[in-house]
């Protein structure tokens, strides 16, 4: 994959747009994921197990894809200068921030449907946009990241029973005998 003319124009036109907000979204995305995981863990362990598995699975898939594809980021090709500390010069596709954000939103949407669902979808889209605005990803990296996150969320949701059983066994805070009941069946 490589940059298309329209992607270069999108990058140049959006570069630095609402910079402080884009940087805040980008730099706090991991903290938001941890906060949602913690909140759901206290509220509903089953949902938290599925969300955690989805985020970790997405992280693994994204790292593997970045290594296999090895696409240079926009600032490496001197299209724009990065407005944040870039992680690495290569490994642009797919966007890790975007994939994890969309994975969380999609997994939460599949597990629960409440007010937080809409907020997470909007937040995921804004995180993806922030990566382009900051000049560290191409638009197709963000689209690819969203697709990776959603795909892993659907796969995890469909196999949730396995993940929930396993994590309820290894969870040190699970309620003893109740957790082992899953394993015995």
């Amino acid at each position: 994959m490589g940059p298309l003319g329209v992607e270069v124009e999108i990058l140049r036109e959006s570069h630095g747009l609402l910079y402080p907000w884009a940087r805040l979204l980008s730099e706090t995305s991991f903290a938001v994921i941890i906060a949602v995981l913690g909140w759901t863990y206290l509220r509903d362990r089953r949902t938290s197990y599925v969300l955690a598995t989805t985020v970790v699975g997405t992280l693994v898939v994204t790292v593997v894809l970045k290594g296999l594809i090895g696409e240079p980021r926009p600032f490496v090709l001197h299209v724009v200068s990065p407005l944040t500390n870039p992680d690495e010069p290569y490994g642009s596709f797919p966007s890790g921030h975007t994939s994890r954000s969309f994975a969380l939103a999609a997994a939460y949407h599949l597990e629960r449907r409440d007010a937080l669902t809409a907020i997470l979808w909007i937040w995921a889209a804004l995180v993806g946009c922030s990566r382009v605005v900051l000049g560290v990803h191409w638009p197709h990296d963000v689209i690819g990241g969203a697709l990776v996150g959603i795909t892993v969320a659907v796969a995890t949701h469909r196999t949730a029973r396995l993940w929930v059983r396993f994590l309820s066994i290894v969870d040190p805070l699970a309620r003893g005998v109740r957790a082992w009941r899953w394993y015995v069946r």
Side-chain angles (χ1 to χ4, degrees):
M1 291 184 195
L4 302 173
V6 72
E7 287 189 295
V8 171
E9 286 304 311
I10 290 170
L11 267 167
R12 289 186 176 147
E13 291 296 321
S14 67
H15 191 62
L17 189 68
L18 299 173
Y19 166 73
W21 294 107
R23 186 161 183 168
L24 178 71
L25 274 166
S26 182
E27 291 181 357
T28 59
S29 66
F30 191 68
V32 169
I33 290 170
I34 296 300
V36 170
L37 288 175
W39 179 74
T40 55
Y41 183 81
L42 295 173
R43 190 169 177 224
D44 176 11
R45 288 224 172 112
R46 183 194 183 290
T47 300
S48 72
Y49 293 155
V50 174
L51 295 182
T53 303
T54 301
V55 170
V56 170
T58 301
L59 179 67
V60 170
V61 170
T62 302
V63 167
V64 168
L65 286 174
K66 282 177 181 278
L68 290 174
I69 297 169
E71 180 180 34
R73 294 178 184 258
F75 60 85
V76 172
L77 299 178
H78 306 291
V79 174
V80 292
S81 58
L83 297 176
T84 187
N85 253 351
D87 302 334
E88 57 190 52
Y90 290 92
S92 183
F93 184 87
S95 166
H97 285 75
T98 305
S99 65
R100 289 186 301 272
S101 301
F102 271 90
L104 184 72
Y108 194 87
H109 175 85
L110 292 168
E111 291 297 312
R112 305 180 64 85
R113 289 192 176 97
D114 56 24
L116 184 57
T117 305
I119 294 168
L120 288 174
W121 281 115
I122 292 167
W123 166 76
L126 291 172
V127 168
C129 291
S130 76
R131 302 305 286 167
V132 173
V133 167
L134 294 173
V136 292
H137 280 291
W138 301 100
H140 71 263
D141 299 341
V142 169
I143 294 167
L147 292 175
V148 166
I150 292 168
T151 302
V152 173
V154 169
T156 304
H157 177 72
R158 290 195 175 169
T159 59
R161 187 176 180 140
L162 298 170
W163 302 113
V164 171
R165 283 184 180 186
F166 173 72
L167 291 173
S168 67
I169 292 167
V170 299
D171 182 357
L173 301 177
R175 297 184 188 205
V177 176
R178 195 176 103 206
W180 286 100
R181 237 185 347 193
W182 289 76
Y183 182 71
V184 174
R185 284 187 187 169

